[in-house]
Every structure is written in C-alpha cells, then in structure tokens.
Amino acid sequence: MSDNRTPTPAGEPPRTPPRPPAPAAFPVVPTLPAYPVQPAPQPAQNQPVPPSYTPTTPPAYAPYGAPVYPAVPAPRPTSGLAITSLICGIAGVVLVWAIIPVLASIAAVITGHMALGQTRRDPGIGGRGMAIAGLILGYAMIAIAAFTLIGIIISFLFVGAFSLPFILSR
C-alpha cells in the first residue's frame, strides 16, 4: 500500500480522496419569517427562558382523524310539469274569489298526475313532492268549489221555493 500523504516528486500537494459530505440529520424545510415578538419581561432571577414559537406552514393534507366528507351529488333536474302543478294549485287557493280557481285547480290535477307518471318512469327527474302538493291543492279546491255549487243549488231550491210565493203574492 502506498501512503498518499507523502509529497509527490514535483512538489504537488498530496492526493487525498475527498471526504463524503456529512448526511443531513433533518431535511431543510423553508419556513415563513417569524412574527415580530415583543420581548418577554426579564425575571428577577436567572431562570432559563423557554424558546419562542415560530410558525410553520400547515401540511397540504388533512391531519389524522379529520372527517372526510363525501362529494355532493349533482342535483336532479326538476320536472316542469310538477312546477306547473304546484303553481296552478297555489293560484287556485289564492284566487278563490274568482272563476279562475276552478280552471287552475283542474290544470293542477291534470299536470300533477302527468308529473307523477313522468317521475315514476324516469328516476333521474325530481319534483315528486311538488307534484303531490299540486294534486292536493287542486283536489281540495275542486272539492270546495263542488260543495259551494251544491250549497248554492240547494239554497235556491229550498229557500227560494218558500220565499218566492210570499214575495209574489203581494
């Protein structure tokens, strides 16, 4: 074996293999600049001062134990017939003093049944609740209109039959 520490004949420095770089104990992580910290009041006695906190960047992933929420599914499109049924049912209730409620209620019942059939055939279309609400409002207003009409006819037959002879006899 040869000694690498001996000078070479030309007076050059000895050849020594380069030392391997020392392994880093921790990877170098860039940190944010520390916030300005007010100096702590010095205690009267010589006690060690705890190290100050330097903020670091938060991790890019959720910490262990954090809740993972599922993705929200896309909303289903609503049936236009169901919307029409609901609007006509509400119009029948609001416009109870006019002739329009009877027509609006009939339209609410027809479009409500069509919307229920449409949502039953294609489960990708929503609006079943609106169709049912339109049906309930439509049937309720048709029933109220029918009872009102029957009450008017009965009152004309019985009250009118007893009152007309007395009014015309004078």
Side-chain angles (χ1 to χ4, degrees), residues 17 51 53 58 71 73 110 114 123 127 150-151 156 162:
Y53 171 75
I110 292 171
M114 290 171 60
I150 291 171
F156 278 144
F162 294 114

Side-chain angles (χ1 to χ4, degrees), residues 88-102 104 141:
C88 288
I90 292 172
V93 171
V94 171
L95 301 173
V96 72
W97 49 269
I99 300 285
I100 297 171
V102 175
M141 289 312 297

Side-chain angles (χ1 to χ4, degrees), residues 61-77:
Y61 55 87
Y64 180 75
V68 177
Y69 299 106
V72 177
R76 299 185 307 173

Side-chain angles (χ1 to χ4, degrees), residues 23-31:
F26 297 102
V28 178
V29 178
T31 60

Side-chain angles (χ1 to χ4, degrees), residues 54-122:
T54 58
T56 59
T57 58
Y61 55 87
Y64 180 75
V68 177
Y69 299 106
V72 177
R76 299 185 307 173
T78 305
S79 171
L81 290 170
I83 295 171
T84 304
S85 173
L86 183 63
I87 290 173
C88 288
I90 292 172
V93 171
V94 171
L95 301 173
V96 72
W97 49 269
I99 300 285
I100 297 171
V102 175
L103 300 175
S105 298
I106 291 171
V109 169
I110 292 171
T111 55
H113 280 292
M114 290 171 60
L116 281 179
Q118 185 181 23
T119 57
R120 193 172 296 126
R121 282 189 305 271
D122 187 8

